[in-house]
Amino acid sequence: MDIIPPTAPVTVFRLINVHFDSLGDTLRYRAQQMEILADVLREPGCSGGIIADDFNAISPEDDGLVDKNELVDAWVALHGRADPAGGATWGVGV
């Protein structure tokens, strides 16, 4: 969904809701899905956005998808990685 504030009509924020594949042998699909979403947030005219919902991080390799695609985990940006049990938004085996 594109959100265009009435006070800044040239600004477009994109809200994306996802549910990635969760099967054990489908890391390549999750990696491809994350890359597509990152590209959607970088389309001309898009000022940024939020990707939310279930990423189904089921392997250690999943954890690197955010950094690989130059995205920012909101929890980590606000609280760091020191205490992932305290409210992490991404976790393998959770």
Side-chain angles (χ1 to χ4, degrees):
M1 168 190 300
D2 285 348
I3 302 166
I4 303 169
T7 57
V10 296
T11 303
V12 176
F13 295 108
R14 196 154 281 161
L15 176 60
I16 303 169
N17 185 28
V18 299
H19 188 176
F20 282 4
D21 194 294
S22 63
L23 299 175
D25 63 346
T26 57
L27 171 63
R28 68 182 185 279
Y29 296 130
R30 290 189 302 283
Q32 183 180 27
Q33 290 166 334
M34 187 69 84
E35 184 178 340
I36 290 167
L37 294 175
D39 289 345
V40 167
L41 289 180
R42 293 187 181 95
E43 288 179 349
C46 182
S47 303
I50 296 172
I51 303 170
D53 215 298
D54 191 344
F55 293 104
N56 276 315
I58 59 172
S59 73
E61 292 84 5
D62 284 302
D63 191 40
L65 294 177
V66 172
D67 292 337
K68 179 183 176 193
N69 289 284
E70 299 177 2
L71 298 170
V72 176
D73 183 312
W75 178 266
V76 173
L78 293 171
H79 304 282
R81 293 185 182 266
D83 183 18
T89 57
W90 189 272
V92 176
V94 175

